[in-house]
Amino acid sequence: MKRKIGVLIVDDEVLVRIGIIHAVAWEENGFEIIGEASDGESCLQMARKYQPDLIVLDINMPGMNGLQVLNRLKEEGYSGKVIMLTCYEEFEYVREALRGGADDYVLKSNLNESSILSAILRLDFNRRPEEEEPRNRKMMAEKYLRQKIEGFSFGETQELTFRTSCFCAIAGRIRDMEKIERRYEQKGMELFYRSFYSILEQALQHYQEYDVIQYTKETVGIFISFSDTGSMQEIHMRVRRLIPHIYNIVQNYLDMDMIIGVSSLHYGEEKIREAWNQAYRMLDRSFFDKKAVYFYEDLRDYYLKAGEFDGKLTEIENSLKECVVDGKTEEIRERMQEYFEEIRNGKIAEPQRIRVFCQDIVKLLQAQERNWQDAQILEILQKQESLEEMESRVYIWLDSVIPEKTDQSTNWLVRRACDYIREHYRQDISLSDIAAYLELSESYASRIFNKHMGKNIPAYINQLRIEEARELLKNTNKKIYEVATEVGYTSTTAFHMAFKKQEGITPIEYRNQGS
């Protein structure tokens, strides 16, 4: 007869210990409670004496807390499993515990048989045959789901947890996976993924019908159904609340960043692939802005016009290549600006298409000049992770190979920018306002202004504001905060800092000089 797995329960609150003991049918699931402890020192003594296979350990106890106990256990060579008990707001402790070797955690607010048992059964205690069946079912369901995502099938069917009568797909990509791998280099990535899936389960604890799939090492998929929700409005509200919750709980507990893409709602098993493609496509939207969560529904209208957008973009791309081939170097910047503006307005271009096209332009220009010395630029363009960075890199490289003439049109644009700033600097204006007025991209507007004026746009705005402030300080009795507001500053502190930076003295000192 196979021995039962010994469990030690450690919590300073007796009611919590009683609740854990009575929440789970321990004996029926192959476990036995070998002891209880109410503090850290008692836990260590019992761990040495009984060598439990599993310790359920409160993270926040008076005296020696759970983290300190965990460290002592590891120092003393304890080889069993540890599950931490924690409150929702203690994610900093949880993060440290998972890094310190804890195997999983359970929220005290969610102490029931399902949460405790699912956390325990995720651990490997040399699984018994009766435990393998649900595990194998889960693996088969994941395999079947992957086949549906990839668009092929071997004819077999498999029961999924989520119902396909009304569902959406969620794709999550871990940013900077190399950083995570370095962090878990000693403890192993298995610990990371176990923690990651545990946290996802906590985030989804109020949902019964969902399936999770590890798509790649940095990408996870969640398929979740809403067959228990009445109106479509309520479903949309639930989705919009759930996704930021998943993002926040993962970021807080594991100290990592994610990009999350969400499909629209779908109906029927045959829509699984379409739903996944929508969610997965959203992950590339971070190339265009710095958000973390992207909903396909927000871009649906743009995708409906994808054919029209693609045709226009192809036309601009061909025109640009012709300019290079025909040697019309003076038109390249103008066409390049038009290209980036179309991408920005269209919103749905594929980042890799942009990278490849920019590389093609570089190759064509290098071929025209028969000069391939700057080979690094192709690699640099391939690595750009935002449209703004890509645009900036392209313009900088163009400046190095095609000296820009100070032509009349550029001077005219800069003059228009200066006129606009002089007219509006008392208001809360920004680079985006000026770029929109000139009908240029922010990157291009900033670049030509800086090049021809010898300073950037914010510096020029500050210069005008400080010049007027000096006049008001000398010739009026207005209070400092009134002067700040009149010349366009939203706070007196910002005015003080800007004034001292430019003049070397504070506004009050400047006024006193003239008295």
Side-chain angles (χ1 to χ4, degrees), residues 94 111 152 178 392 423 512:
V94 174
L111 277 179
F152 65 88
E178 291 180 359
S392 178
E423 186 177 346
N512 291 339

Side-chain angles (χ1 to χ4, degrees), residues 33 80 137 149 165 204 210 218 239 251 335 442 452 484 514:
I33 305 297
R137 275 204 310 269
I149 286 172
S165 54
L204 295 164
Y210 66 87
E218 70 274 346
V239 173
Q251 185 180 55
R335 289 279 183 267
E442 290 182 27
H452 291 278

Side-chain angles (χ1 to χ4, degrees), residues 240-252:
R240 295 279 174 166
R241 285 196 302 264
L242 171 64
I243 305 308
H245 176 61
I246 292 175
Y247 175 80
N248 288 331
I249 201 169
V250 167
Q251 185 180 55
N252 289 337

Side-chain angles (χ1 to χ4, degrees), residues 496-514:
H496 271 274
M497 292 174 64
F499 194 96
K500 187 168 184 180
K501 183 177 180 181
Q502 182 166 315
E503 301 297 320
I505 56 177
T506 66
I508 295 174
E509 290 170 338
Y510 182 84
R511 169 171 275 171
N512 291 339
Q513 280 183 349

Side-chain angles (χ1 to χ4, degrees), residues 146 172-173 193 197 213-220 280:
R146 184 177 293 276
R173 178 184 294 154
Y193 285 116
Y197 281 112
I213 179 173
Q214 186 71 41
Y215 190 65
T216 67
K217 71 175 184 178
E218 70 274 346
T219 310
V220 65
Y280 195 74

Side-chain angles (χ1 to χ4, degrees), residues 9 34 74 146 150 321 335 365 383 393 424:
I9 309 295
I34 63 171
K74 295 302 179 182
R146 184 177 293 276
E150 300 294 347
K321 289 179 179 178
R335 289 279 183 267
L365 279 166
K383 290 181 178 178
R393 284 287 183 181
H424 296 91

Side-chain angles (χ1 to χ4, degrees), residues 229-463:
T229 306
S231 69
M232 291 300 297
Q233 182 180 5
E234 187 181 351
I235 292 174
H236 284 293
M237 287 176 62
R238 289 186 73 187
V239 173
R240 295 279 174 166
R241 285 196 302 264
L242 171 64
I243 305 308
H245 176 61
I246 292 175
Y247 175 80
N248 288 331
I249 201 169
V250 167
Q251 185 180 55
N252 289 337
Y253 278 85
L254 280 180
D255 188 24
M256 72 178 197
D257 198 9
M258 284 188 75
I259 309 166
I260 299 178
V262 188
S263 75
S264 57
L265 292 174
H266 289 270
Y267 310 90
E269 193 169 301
E270 69 280 1
K271 291 292 187 178
I272 288 177
R273 188 181 188 197
E274 182 180 342
W276 175 252
N277 287 340
Q278 286 180 357
Y280 195 74
R281 183 183 290 171
M282 290 299 97
L283 298 180
D284 282 337
R285 294 308 94 197
S286 62
F287 185 79
F288 298 91
D289 56 52
K290 299 298 182 184
K291 291 194 301 183
V293 177
Y294 303 87
F295 293 89
Y296 182 84
E297 281 297 311
D298 295 342
L299 293 171
R300 176 183 286 277
D301 290 345
Y302 290 94
Y303 281 109
L304 290 174
K305 300 176 183 177
E308 180 184 335
F309 168 72
D310 183 71
K312 190 168 183 180
L313 193 61
T314 300
E315 184 181 323
I316 296 173
E317 288 172 341
N318 291 337
S319 174
L320 238 171
K321 289 179 179 178
E322 287 175 9
C323 284
V324 177
V325 172
D326 294 342
K328 298 177 181 177
T329 54
E330 68 280 359
E331 294 183 24
I332 292 174
R333 284 188 184 82
E334 183 181 342
R335 289 279 183 267
M336 209 76 212
Q337 178 192 326
E338 183 182 353
Y339 172 74
F340 283 118
E341 204 59 37
E342 182 61 28
I343 289 171
R344 194 170 283 103
N345 293 334
K347 295 185 184 296
I348 60 172
E350 296 298 325
Q352 189 56 20
R353 173 178 179 173
I354 300 168
R355 294 187 185 101
V356 169
F357 176 73
C358 290
Q359 288 172 321
D360 286 347
I361 293 297
V362 168
K363 291 174 186 175
L364 282 171
L365 279 166
Q366 288 177 334
Q368 289 290 99
E369 299 296 324
R370 289 179 169 77
N371 183 352
W372 290 270
Q373 289 181 357
D374 191 6
Q376 287 186 330
I377 184 61
L378 299 176
E379 185 178 346
I380 289 170
L381 292 178
Q382 181 60 36
K383 290 181 178 178
Q384 296 309 304
E385 295 184 352
S386 77
L387 182 64
E388 198 71 23
E389 291 171 358
M390 176 69 75
E391 187 175 10
S392 178
R393 284 287 183 181
V394 168
Y395 288 143
I396 289 169
W397 187 81
L398 286 176
D399 284 346
S400 71
V401 295
I402 307 173
E404 187 175 13
K405 297 177 181 177
T406 308
D407 54 31
Q408 198 64 29
S409 62
T410 304
N411 284 335
W412 178 69
L413 286 170
V414 174
R415 284 199 303 274
R416 284 188 70 207
C418 290
D419 291 342
Y420 181 86
I421 293 169
R422 280 193 290 269
E423 186 177 346
H424 296 91
Y425 72 85
R426 298 177 186 85
Q427 303 165 15
D428 185 18
I429 61 170
S430 63
L431 171 60
S432 60
D433 297 322
I434 296 158
Y437 172 73
L438 298 175
E439 297 183 334
L440 302 173
S441 69
E442 290 182 27
S443 175
Y444 187 67
S446 177
R447 189 176 66 85
I448 63 170
F449 191 94
N450 197 12
K451 185 166 186 176
H452 291 278
M453 295 295 291
K455 64 184 69 178
N456 60 35
I457 288 174
Y460 184 68
I461 294 172
N462 267 326
Q463 178 185 316

